[in-house]
Amino acid sequence: MNNFLFIGLPYAAVTILIIGGIYKYVNRGFQISSLSSQFLEGKKLFWGSQFFHWGIVTVLLGHLIGILFPQGVIAWNGVTVRLLILETTGLMFALSTLIGLILLIIRRLTNKRISIVTSKADVLVYVILLIQVITGIWVALGYRWGSSWYAASMTPYIKSLFLFSPEVGTVSQMPLIIKAHVISAFVMIGLIPFTRFSHFLVFPFRYYWRVYQQVIWNRDRKTIRKQDDIRPGVKSKNN
């Protein structure tokens, strides 16, 4: 069972992500979207999205840093104050993610127009996210100093998967709640091509460096600025 959950499942999830993502992008590119319902209701969506996205992006970055620079994280945590700052910051952003997710779920349940357009895939997305976030917070509170033991124990396991030499000895000995957190993460990865998670694949990075406002001229700018007619163009022939 450990081999299935911590070797077979992650490789299957990544394979589905790659093949399914490429197929969807090539053949059904217009379906890669967050399927926003902002035009149905915007205010509650704004607050829920702000809490959720700022929280989950920061938490994911924290996990990524732990994978890429495990020794740096352990060295940082060597000073108690810095360890407390890191742990508290991570927990705050995790709680922000949970608050945002709850707000989005309440919005979807209480707004009739949004409830009507809610699909089974949407329900699955919320269930997986709830499991992932709740188990993550549970781990943070119940198994303290996670940033240290994550870098020391989980990072070698994750790296072993990338090196195609999986070592499940450590993860198989982890408490059940940590296993649930890891398994739900792999399930979420496998669901990306089939749900609104797929909008992660086409994140508009160019927004970071594009100009704030773009003006597109349909006519010659010099001609428009010199003429006196306040309504330039071909005059109507209907008098």
Side-chain angles (χ1 to χ4, degrees), residues 103-119:
L103 290 176
L104 293 173
I105 293 175
I106 292 175
R107 168 182 176 268
R108 193 165 287 273
L109 292 176
T110 57
N111 190 301
K112 292 183 179 180
R113 292 187 297 177
I114 299 176
S115 297
I116 291 175
V117 299
T118 300
S119 65

Side-chain angles (χ1 to χ4, degrees), residues 36-146:
S36 175
S37 56
Q38 183 177 2
F39 68 96
L40 295 176
E41 193 282 324
K43 187 175 181 180
K44 294 179 181 178
L45 175 64
F46 172 81
W47 290 110
S49 295
Q50 291 296 313
F51 278 105
F52 176 77
H53 285 100
W54 281 108
I56 197 169
V57 169
T58 306
V59 170
L60 288 176
L61 284 176
H63 283 68
L64 182 60
I65 291 173
I67 295 173
L68 297 177
F69 311 104
Q71 297 303 321
V73 172
I74 294 174
W76 171 274
N77 290 344
V79 179
T80 304
V81 174
R82 296 192 303 203
L83 171 62
L84 292 173
I85 292 174
L86 183 59
E87 292 285 325
T88 303
T89 302
L91 180 59
M92 287 176 60
F93 279 104
L95 291 173
S96 172
T97 306
L98 181 60
I99 291 171
L101 184 58
I102 292 174
L103 290 176
L104 293 173
I105 293 175
I106 292 175
R107 168 182 176 268
R108 193 165 287 273
L109 292 176
T110 57
N111 190 301
K112 292 183 179 180
R113 292 187 297 177
I114 299 176
S115 297
I116 291 175
V117 299
T118 300
S119 65
K120 294 180 180 179
D122 294 331
V123 175
L124 181 60
V125 164
Y126 283 114
V127 170
I128 292 296
L129 282 174
L130 272 176
I131 294 174
Q132 182 69 12
V133 175
I134 291 175
T135 55
I137 294 175
W138 190 337
V139 170
L141 294 175
Y143 302 90
R144 303 304 302 274
W145 324 130

